[in-house]
Structures are given as structure tokens and as C-alpha cells.
Amino acid sequence: MKQLGKISVVLVLVLFAASCADKNSPNYQFMPNMYEPVGYETYQGVDNGLFPDGTEALLPPAGTISRGYMPYEFENTPEGKELARLNTSPLDSLNQEENLVKGAELYAIYCAVCHGPKGDGQGNLVKREKILGVPSYDDAARNITVGTTYHTIYYGLNSMGSYASQFANEEEMWQVSEYVMKLKEDLTK
């Protein structure tokens, strides 16, 4: 019986202490490093004396290249496109069948809606007259090469914008360029 009394007194004290806690203010912090940041926050604007105007993030130095990115060597000008005409595909010719299969898949996703599944300029959007003036790949005036096709995918041409951001990497753009040349070959037979 005496033990039951002791337990009840301890229980009442615990309930009393718990009822006095203020839920609107934080209690003790056992590990403050988990709650309070030690380093600077991005764009915090604290004048740390290292960078001008108290900034934390600066532009990269001129002439630097992001890791994993290789810049395209030709400019977005008519002269750059003419220089790209002589450019050949860097893909391995031993894997040409695999590249054409992958290029056909990507072409069906990104290009066929305007250029048509055969490259004849009769895609779904052209048939519905949403986009007009998409020429066929067999048009003699086009004189396209794998280099100019890659250049057009990279920068865009006329009303066609750049599709470089749609592809995961340069290899996919070259695969589509090779597939376009195969479509041109099929149309001119």
C-alpha cells in the first residue's frame, strides 16, 4: 500500500510538470547543432568579407565549362551551319544498326509529329494545318548532311526551335541525325 502511494505521488508530479509546459515556446535543445545551422545559408547576404556586396553565390569565371559538358564548336550563324556541313558523325560505325534503332525511337517521339514518320514533311501537325511549310527531306534544295542536321537540332532553324534540351546527351542527337539521313536516303530511292 505504501508503494502504491509513492507511485501515485510520482505520477501526480509528472502530470503536474507536463501540464506546466508551454507548447508555444521551445523547450531545451539537447543537440543544438541539429537545429541551428553552422555554415552560411545560400543567398543569405551576410557580409563575410570574402565576396563583394555580401553575396554567397557568384557567376563562374569566364571561359569555364561545366563538368560533363562539351561545347559545340560551330556558331549559330549561316557560316557556322556551312562549316557544320563538313562535320561527320562521331558515333561508332560498327554499332550503326543500334544507333539507327535508337534514332528511330527518338525521331518518332520528337520529330515525326512535324516532319512525318517517313520524313516527307507530312507529320500530324502539318496534316492538321497547325504548322505549315515543313519541307520533305528529299527536297533537292535542302542539301542536308548529318552535320547540318545535328546543327539544326542543336540550334534550330527558322520556325523550328532548338531541340538540344529534349535529348539526354549529344549521342542521342547524333543518332537522330543519322536516322534523318537514312530517311533521306529512303525517300530519294
Side-chain angles (χ1 to χ4, degrees):
M1 205 60 176
K2 286 185 178 183
Q3 238 176 354
L4 184 60
K6 289 179 184 177
I7 291 174
S8 61
V9 168
V10 169
L11 185 61
V12 167
L13 287 174
V14 167
L15 289 174
F16 180 72
S19 66
C20 292
D22 185 11
K23 294 186 186 338
N24 294 329
S25 65
N27 291 327
Y28 295 107
Q29 292 180 358
F30 295 108
M31 296 181 189
N33 288 344
M34 293 178 66
Y35 301 105
E36 298 171 8
V38 177
Y40 291 112
E41 296 290 334
T42 308
Y43 307 117
Q44 186 176 359
V46 175
D47 189 16
N48 55 13
L50 296 176
F51 302 116
D53 301 326
T55 58
E56 293 296 323
L58 299 176
L59 294 174
T64 58
I65 300 171
S66 300
R67 185 177 299 215
Y69 172 75
M70 184 59 93
Y72 186 52
E73 59 202 273
F74 302 112
E75 295 179 0
N76 187 15
T77 61
E79 295 82 19
K81 187 173 181 182
E82 286 305 314
L83 289 173
R85 181 175 304 283
L86 304 173
N87 202 9
T88 59
S89 174
L91 299 180
D92 188 9
S93 61
L94 298 175
N95 298 334
Q96 186 173 12
E97 291 300 319
E98 296 168 13
N99 290 333
L100 289 176
V101 168
K102 183 68 176 171
E105 291 174 8
L106 294 168
Y107 180 89
I109 294 170
Y110 299 115
C111 309
V113 69
C114 295
H115 293 278
K118 298 177 186 174
D120 56 359
Q122 295 300 311
N124 198 10
L125 292 178
V126 174
K127 288 179 183 176
R128 293 181 182 178
E129 297 182 356
K130 302 293 182 186
I131 296 176
L132 300 175
V134 178
S136 176
Y137 293 140
D138 67 344
D139 189 7
R142 298 221 13 170
N143 191 19
I144 60 174
T145 65
V146 70
T148 58
T149 305
Y150 181 86
H151 190 274
T152 303
I153 292 171
Y154 194 86
Y155 288 120
L157 181 67
N158 298 334
S159 62
M160 177 184 145
S162 172
Y163 273 73
S165 63
Q166 305 297 320
F167 296 101
N169 52 32
E170 294 176 15
E171 181 182 13
E172 288 184 350
M173 289 191 286
W174 281 111
Q175 289 168 339
V176 171
S177 299
E178 285 186 359
Y179 183 71
V180 166
M181 296 313 296
K182 180 185 179 300
L183 289 177
K184 178 182 178 178
E185 203 176 284
D186 293 345
L187 286 171
T188 55
K189 285 183 181 178

